[in-house]
Amino acid sequence: MKYLVGEVSVNQQITDDIWVVRVSCEPVEAKAGQFYMLKSWDTEQTLMRPISVFKAEEGCLWFMYRVVGQGTRRMSFLEKGDAIRLLGPCGNGYPCEQIKGRVALVGGGVGIPPLCETAKTLQRNGVTVDAYLGYRDVLFAVEDFEPWCTDMFISTEKGEEGYKGFITDLLKPEQYDVVLTCGPEVMMRKVAAMCAEHDVTCYCSLEHRMACGIGACLGCSIRTKSGMKRVCKDGPVFLSTELMW
């Protein structure tokens, strides 16, 4: 984990509230499922924001974020050449080196971007990857998954794109050796329950409010079967069977 200063090369709006930013920086050490704490403002009253890695390339990192508050609103005003501060990579990502066979990636909303680097890593490790991506209405990042996935399944709540309904309606966990999921808690709870029913290993990447991102403030602590854990330091990825939903 290091403090870095990067330079924005792209900051593009792709839906009404979703943006993607490309940051040039050295070194790039992020693994699938990890995140960085980002800050692009001078005031100390607004804390760094935890954003998962969308794509990691030589000399640059991509982050996809939803504008929901003061910090992310300020990020949306970044322009090419602007400086941005990073702390990371933070947390423990998906154990891609341990995963074999056929894998399903199940993402919902802003839980979709962290699974893109995961898909690339797994595919390059010889794993067969299928992606299940659930959206409210407007699609994003689908084309980024396509090079790494054998099959793609898309759902929207309105049904204007793909299947009309929830992405969990399409998932058959018994067809997979491992399922990885990231997104709204209600979706991940459903995925975890489906996997438990069929005795399929499931990893969940949790979202939680974070102040420090390094495990010092204990603000993101959750209960697990092995005691209290910090989402930022011990996670954000946990075995579903360890979680006390």
Side-chain angles (χ1 to χ4, degrees):
M1 183 188 306
K2 299 178 181 178
Y3 280 101
L4 306 170
V5 177
E7 182 178 299
V8 174
S9 54
V10 174
N11 191 31
Q12 180 181 3
Q13 185 175 14
I14 57 174
T15 75
D16 287 345
D17 59 353
I18 300 290
W19 292 69
V20 61
V21 59
R22 181 182 186 269
V23 179
S24 299
C25 59
E26 292 288 354
V28 174
E29 302 172 340
K31 296 181 180 179
Q34 290 187 302
F35 66 95
Y36 280 76
M37 302 294 289
L38 305 183
K39 189 172 185 177
S40 59
W41 47 88
D42 293 329
T43 175
E44 297 302 322
Q45 296 177 344
T46 305
L47 299 172
M48 302 181 89
R49 291 293 185 266
I51 310 290
S52 295
V53 175
F54 172 38
K55 295 187 289 186
E57 301 172 351
E58 185 175 353
C60 72
L61 292 164
W62 293 81
F63 301 94
M64 192 172 285
Y65 61 97
R66 172 170 282 150
V67 175
V68 293
Q70 185 181 33
T72 47
R73 174 63 62 187
R74 287 178 174 179
M75 285 179 58
S76 71
F77 293 121
L78 287 169
E79 297 180 349
K80 184 177 180 179
D82 286 346
I84 185 169
R85 282 179 278 170
L86 305 91
L87 170 64
C90 301
N92 294 301
Y94 293 105
C96 293
E97 65 283 351
Q98 301 173 21
I99 295 173
K100 308 295 180 185
R102 190 179 182 195
V103 173
L105 306 181
V106 186
V110 288
I112 289 172
L115 295 175
C116 186
E117 184 67 20
T118 307
K120 181 182 77 174
T121 302
L122 290 171
Q123 194 268 354
R124 288 180 171 178
N125 288 350
V127 175
T128 300
V129 181
D130 292 343
Y132 293 77
L133 309 180
Y135 301 85
R136 184 180 305 156
D137 41 38
V138 180
L139 305 188
F140 54 86
V142 174
E143 66 280 1
D144 297 287
F145 280 82
E146 289 175 345
W148 318 114
C149 298
T150 301
D151 288 315
M152 301 273 296
F153 302 87
I154 305 295
S155 74
T156 52
E157 293 181 19
K158 296 182 179 179
E160 295 176 357
E161 298 276 0
Y163 169 78
K164 182 178 182 180
F166 300 117
I167 196 62
T168 49
D169 297 341
L170 302 178
L171 178 65
K172 294 180 174 58
E174 65 272 19
Q175 296 179 352
Y176 297 95
D177 297 291
V178 182
V179 175
L180 312 180
T181 184
C182 184
E185 183 177 312
V186 64
M187 182 204 76
M188 292 195 292
R189 281 175 179 253
K190 177 66 173 177
V191 172
M194 294 170 68
C195 290
E197 182 179 351
H198 295 280
D199 197 26
V200 175
T201 300
C202 176
Y203 289 95
C204 301
S205 180
L206 304 188
E207 292 184 0
H208 208 290
R209 288 186 177 274
M210 298 179 189
C212 70
I214 59 174
C217 71
L218 306 180
C220 62
S221 297
I222 60 167
R223 293 175 61 211
T224 73
K225 292 181 180 178
S226 55
M228 300 298 293
K229 299 288 186 180
R230 299 157 296 179
V231 172
C232 68
K233 184 74 173 180
D234 303 307
V237 176
F238 295 89
L239 266 172
S240 63
T241 51
E242 282 294 305
L243 297 171
M244 297 181 67
W245 299 102

